[in-house]
Amino acid sequence: MSELAVDVHGLVKRFGNKIAVNGVDIQLPSGQVWGFLGPNGSGKTTTIRMICGLLNIDAGEGQCLGYDISRHARDIRRLTGYMTQKFSFWNELSIRENLDFVARLYQLPQRRQRVDNTLEKLGLSQRQKQLAGELSGGWKQRLALAAVTMHQPKLLLLDEPTAGVDPQARRDFWDEIHHLSRAGLTVLVSTHYMDEAERCDRIVYLAHGNLITQGTVAQIIADAKLFTYKAHDDGVRFAIEKLKAQPAVAHAAYFGAALHVSGYEQAALLAAIQTVTSNISWQQVDPSLEDVFIALMNKAGNDQRAYQ
Amino acid sequence: MSSVSASFMASVARLLAIANKELIQMRRDRMTFAMMLGVPLMQLMLFGYAINTDPKHLPTAVITEEQSPVVRSILSALEHSDYYQLRYSLTDHAEGERLLAEGKVSFVVTIPSGFTHQLIKGERPQLLIEADASDPSASSNAVNRAQTMIDSALRHELKGGLAELSAQASPVELIVHRRYNPEGLTQYNIVPGLLGVIITMTMVMITGMAMTREVEQGTLENLLAMPAKPLEVMIGKICPYIAVGAVQTCIILLAAHYLFAVPFIGSMTLLISAVALFIVANLALGFTFSTIAKSQMQAMQLTFFFFLPSLLLSGFMFPFRGMPVWAQYLGEVLPLTHFLRIVRGVMLKGAQLNTVKFELLAITAFILVVGLVAVSRYKRTLD
Ligand SMILES: Nc1ncnc2c1ncn2[C@@H]1O[C@H](COP(=O)(O)OP(=O)(O)OP(=O)(O)O)[C@@H](O)[C@H]1O
Ligand SMILES: [Mg+2]
């Protein structure tokens, strides 16, 4: 399927005189899973809300599932499942009552059956009478995902669905997303986790409301034209400030116990790290997605400062 | 045609889903639920019994311009009735005025000079009681009994040759000045009025909070992302509270009858219809407030902003016709003003539909205006 589930151009959203989203284009083909990344406050949530008609757009236009986003929000909502960043089901309602309420609003046929199945799949049949507000954070997220997919939407908009979820549950969550995607669902999911980004077909990266880059993980890494060196030695800990001060070093960041140092010009970078830490052995590695994002974030940050 | 009715059925189904959710939340929220039933009961007991009890030992100042056995016996009769407690004995009128104004005494009894002389000559001397009627219920029993007490005291005193004097209507002309509240409202006025006051307070507040709670907890975003139209949400959220209002009405009407013995001579059907209309008016207003307020706190403040004028300008606290004209105009805007006229008219005076039709129309107009504001302000987006 090559038609676009989301096709928006030049989306702009202002809050007062602050621009939250500044001309974002997204062309998301049906059936794909796209990751939406960017630092806090970069406009991910705002963009998602505009796509499903929860915020009026200030400029731009677009379609979602073939409906105009500013005029046919109701049709879009009927076919979309939107999982909010903050848990937004009703704490005073039990798990079952929440699901039942959603099923009633979407007027699903065989409601009882549907709710039963959903509870079964979630593994919450035993606890269905428990209040949603009493669930742990991770379970709330699972309940929310189940609730927003119950009406079998064509498009899933997930806003940081795995924040605060344990590693195993995160994997299960993503297995479920891929499972849904294989069944034809289109997914746009925002996240701060690199391993999750790597499981997406494509990535869209925002910073300060601007779309900085997009593409597959490999493309984005290649496009960044970054060189990265890695060292394990204990001595690097004392050298990190000096390394950062070098103009050729774009950034230095820890990955577990190892330090990664990245720059845009290989020769200058190598020269810099060898003068600062002559007795430490460095090893060139492929830049990881996170190296690239740190570099992008720094660049975007500089841009922002340059404008003011 | 069938698609229209199908979409109507769909609307009703969604509306019922929302109403059901609201009911569950209401049941789980113990505090609010307790408030919905507790507040009317508490107000009823506080207001109602404060009026209905027979307050005694009310502080009294006496201004006696002459001393005589007759005067002493009148005063001791007052004292022995237990209604009056003679605290001050004054000679100065200004002083009495001040005590009354400060609320230190409830009554100032004045026995003018020449009282005894006039009494013996059968000239029906005047005896003045000035009562603080700002809380009319507090003073009314004491005032009502005063004549009887004085008469029986005199009957005792004026034995023998003067007995014929006491055989007249009354040998003394009792003059009562009800200060601060010349109309002297009675409990019959207040208990039916409480029905309106309680409904106003709880209904406006609860709908206002129910909606802003969705905003505060972030569940509104979810509700908006699902297929429910504004009108469905509004009606769905309001419906459960109509039931709450109905329960409150029952409690108050039963209390009015069994606890306070308020007469009910009008049509129950008419009253119930008026109550239903009035409940809807207040719920619609609460919903409108929720479209203005950004938090539950603000909704609460708006409720009080509306509740206080309702209490003061509707004729519940002060006689409506006693207010300045501008205040009367303001009062006419409030649904409580019209409801009070209906409920008092129907319960106490047996008013018919024809008598209260304009009041009903006024409340209906209020609902339409407020409902329009609510629907036009209700946001389909998060902006
Ligand atoms: N309702 C609002 N009123 C005013 N400003 C807002 C509003 N919503 C978002 N913003 C601003 O818009 C910008 C983008 O916010 P948004 O929530 O879209 O970021 P985000 O990428 O989702 O961030 P995070 O990763 O922290 O969730 C932020 O600077 C935020 O302060
Ligand atoms: Mg966000």
Side-chain angles (χ1 to χ4, degrees), chain B residues 98-118:
Chain B
R98 189 177 60 77
L99 288 173
L100 205 57
E102 288 173 359
K104 292 226 171 80
V105 297
S106 296
F107 303 100
V108 176
V109 177
T110 308
I111 300 179
S113 63
F115 180 87
T116 317
H117 187 67
Q118 286 182 342

Side-chain angles (χ1 to χ4, degrees), chain B residues 48-197:
Chain B
Y49 274 116
I51 336 159
N52 200 31
T53 47
D54 199 356
K56 298 203 169 154
H57 306 289
L58 296 167
T60 304
V62 186
I63 304 175
T64 38
E65 294 173 353
E66 70 168 8
Q67 293 289 349
S68 75
V70 175
V71 168
R72 274 193 294 278
S73 101
I74 288 177
L75 291 183
S76 82
L78 290 180
E79 178 109 58
H80 281 118
S81 73
D82 281 344
Y83 281 102
Y84 299 85
Q85 189 177 58
L86 308 185
R87 292 247 179 102
Y88 303 89
S89 182
L90 314 170
T91 48
D92 188 8
H93 275 280
E95 177 81 351
E97 190 80 3
R98 189 177 60 77
L99 288 173
L100 205 57
E102 288 173 359
K104 292 226 171 80
V105 297
S106 296
F107 303 100
V108 176
V109 177
T110 308
I111 300 179
S113 63
F115 180 87
T116 317
H117 187 67
Q118 286 182 342
L119 183 71
I120 291 169
K121 282 170 67 183
E123 282 175 4
R124 299 198 75 213
Q126 293 189 334
L127 189 151
L128 175 67
I129 297 184
E130 290 166 284
D132 176 356
S134 59
D135 178 3
S137 49
S139 56
S140 62
N141 269 343
V143 169
N144 292 343
R145 308 256 164 108
Q147 184 86 56
T148 333
M149 291 178 230
I150 293 168
D151 287 358
S152 82
L154 289 177
R155 211 173 297 126
H156 234 272
E157 199 63 30
L158 305 176
K159 272 184 234 146
L162 297 172
E164 50 168 318
L165 279 178
S166 66
Q168 294 170 13
S170 169
V172 174
E173 186 184 352
L174 179 65
I175 297 189
V176 176
H177 285 176
R178 286 193 175 83
R179 306 292 299 272
Y180 312 125
N181 181 1
E183 276 194 20
L185 296 172
T186 69
Q187 71 203 49
Y188 290 174
N189 262 336
I190 286 179
V191 174
L194 269 179
L195 176 60
V197 169

Side-chain angles (χ1 to χ4, degrees), chain B residues 195-247:
Chain B
L195 176 60
V197 169
I198 290 169
I199 288 175
T200 301
M201 164 128 173
T202 46
M203 295 292 108
V204 174
M205 180 153 70
I206 282 159
T207 29
M209 308 250 293
M211 204 57 205
T212 41
R213 182 173 54 196
E214 305 261 0
V215 178
E216 266 185 17
Q217 298 193 345
T219 51
L220 183 68
E221 186 172 8
N222 204 341
L223 200 58
L224 285 175
M226 291 195 280
K229 293 180 191 151
L231 204 60
E232 294 162 9
V233 175
M234 178 167 152
I235 298 177
K237 294 211 78 139
I238 279 180
C239 277
Y241 298 110
I242 293 183
V244 173
V247 172

Side-chain angles (χ1 to χ4, degrees), chain A residues 15 18 20 38-47 49 85 160 192:
Chain A
F15 293 109
K18 181 175 183 308
N40 291 138
S42 54
K44 302 182 295 294
T45 301
T46 308
T47 307
R49 284 176 174 164
Q85 181 168 356
E160 298 191 30
H192 291 295

Side-chain angles (χ1 to χ4, degrees), chain B residues 253-273:
Chain B
L253 287 183
L254 288 174
H257 184 72
Y258 289 106
L259 295 181
F260 302 110
V262 176
F264 192 125
I265 55 179
S267 144
M268 185 54 105
T269 324
L270 182 56
L271 184 76
I272 299 288
S273 323

